[in-house]
Amino acid sequence: SAITTLSTIPNRYALALEAENFEYELRQLIYGRRTSCYRVIYLVIDEHKEVHILTIRHASRRSLNIEDL
């Protein structure tokens, strides 16, 4: 699946819509089709080569804010 590719090429997906509101670089992977579309919001920590999935949200939900994390 697309989520497993995060371990090899984590920066290939776009910045999350909310990235400008956070002090770190949030990225998003859009997963699914039509009405079953989800946003996988994640953080890449380059110095440790780690990917942290912060949340998986339905694409129609409101934008993420700091209280959601």
Side-chain angles (χ1 to χ4, degrees), residues 2-24:
I3 294 174
T4 59
T5 65
L6 293 177
S7 64
T8 55
I9 319 169
N11 291 323
R12 75 180 268 194
Y13 297 104
L15 290 175
L17 303 171
E18 305 85 353
E20 64 186 30
N21 300 326
F22 291 87
E23 60 186 62
Y24 33 83

Side-chain angles (χ1 to χ4, degrees), residues 6-11 43-52:
L6 293 177
S7 64
T8 55
I9 319 169
N11 291 323
L43 173 66
V44 179
I45 301 176
D46 287 323
E47 61 267 11
H48 299 293
K49 297 183 180 179
E50 295 178 354
V51 173
H52 294 267

Side-chain angles (χ1 to χ4, degrees), residues 18 36 38 42 47 55 59 64:
E18 305 85 353
S36 297
Y38 294 87
Y42 66 97
E47 61 267 11
T55 188
L64 187 71

